[in-house]
Amino acid sequence: MATVLLLRHGRTTANASGTLAGRQPVELDDAGRGQAAAVGARLVGLPLAAVVSSPLLRCRQTVSLALPDVLPQLEDGIVECDYGAWEGQPLKKLAKDPLWPVVQQHPSAAVFPGGEGMAAMASRAVAAVRRWDEKITAEHGPEAVWLACSHGDVIKAIAADALGLHLDQFQRIVADPASVTAIRYTATRPFVLRSNDTGGDLASLVPPPVKKHRGRRATAPAESDAAVGGGAGGGQLP
């Protein structure tokens, strides 16, 4: 299957002020714009088969700064969680809400007043990414690499699913602004190739060409096999 790079948007004015943006049309601040440009430099030369984005302004701004020549395809399935009445509130105030410990310790049970449940958010985000991954693999082959720009909790939920973690453990995962989390789905399991990566070379995430064997049985491990001993790196799983 293809490899997806989950890019979180750059820092926003809401991040800087300590408020929960939710689905409000907040913009990148100066630091966020710099982060978006920097991640763009890391993406140069990567053969991206597709670029998909949450429709919210901060994600579209991030993509436009990182990949100015690309028009992303918008995907509602990876939009930010609908935090309902929590949206726009200071995080310090929300930390005193009775729902806060549930969000921290048992997020699968958390449903925001007037908004969405975290379990529902995770379900639609994972479904959207897997659907796109299957589509891109079918159109471009298993060596394809594509990018999806989304939000912190959404990326954490997708990563938790890939790691086989219950949603109640997703708060252990970090997705900083402008970070990259890379996942490769295979027939039997996903592989998490990078997590919260905010620097360094991304070229090694491009899978090497598949070697075809004529007239003899292939002896290489299947693509879903884990690398026993740790593997050779450079994007190669076996």
Side-chain angles (χ1 to χ4, degrees):
M1 300 289 280
T3 301
V4 57
L5 310 182
L6 299 170
L7 171 64
R8 185 183 171 195
H9 60 78
R11 196 179 82 164
T12 69
T13 54
N15 295 144
S17 65
T19 59
L20 185 63
R23 296 184 178 181
Q24 293 181 326
V26 300
E27 300 193 40
L28 302 184
D29 66 1
D30 288 342
R33 286 189 285 271
Q35 290 169 339
V39 79
R42 299 174 64 206
L43 293 168
V44 168
L46 263 66
L48 296 176
V51 176
V52 180
S53 176
S54 158
L56 293 184
L57 178 60
R58 54 194 183 270
C59 287
R60 290 187 284 112
Q61 286 181 329
T62 298
V63 173
S64 68
L65 289 167
L67 300 165
D69 297 326
V70 172
L71 182 64
Q73 300 181 70
L74 303 184
E75 170 56 59
D76 288 337
I78 58 171
V79 74
E80 179 66 286
C81 183
D82 182 354
Y83 295 113
W86 276 33
E87 193 172 282
Q89 298 294 318
L91 292 171
K92 288 183 178 180
K93 175 183 176 182
L94 294 174
K96 301 174 183 177
D97 191 294
L99 183 60
W100 183 269
V102 181
V103 172
Q104 296 298 318
Q105 301 168 28
H106 192 27
S108 64
V111 178
F112 295 97
E116 185 177 26
M118 297 202 87
M121 174 272 289
S123 178
R124 49 95 169 158
V126 169
V129 166
R130 287 180 177 263
R131 183 174 65 252
W132 272 99
D133 201 74
E134 290 177 4
K135 178 179 183 291
I136 291 165
T137 299
E139 294 177 355
H140 300 278
E143 294 139 41
V145 178
W146 64 287
L147 182 141
C149 186
S150 187
H151 308 270
D153 278 352
V154 175
I155 291 172
K156 287 163 58 177
I158 296 167
D161 170 75
L163 289 166
L165 298 176
H166 193 281
L167 186 61
D168 286 347
Q169 296 177 306
F170 100 127
Q171 298 290 25
R172 302 182 183 194
I173 299 169
V174 175
D176 287 327
S179 66
V180 173
T181 296
I183 299 172
R184 184 175 304 151
Y185 294 96
T186 73
T188 60
R189 64 165 68 90
F191 290 90
V192 178
L193 307 177
R194 300 279 179 93
S195 178
N196 196 39
D197 187 339
T198 56
D201 180 32
L202 295 174
S204 63
L205 294 172
V206 179
V210 175
K211 295 180 180 179
K212 297 182 179 179
H213 302 270
R214 275 190 188 176
R216 62 188 177 89
R217 184 177 176 183
T219 57
E223 67 165 0
S224 295
D225 290 347
V228 177
Q236 301 184 50
L237 294 175

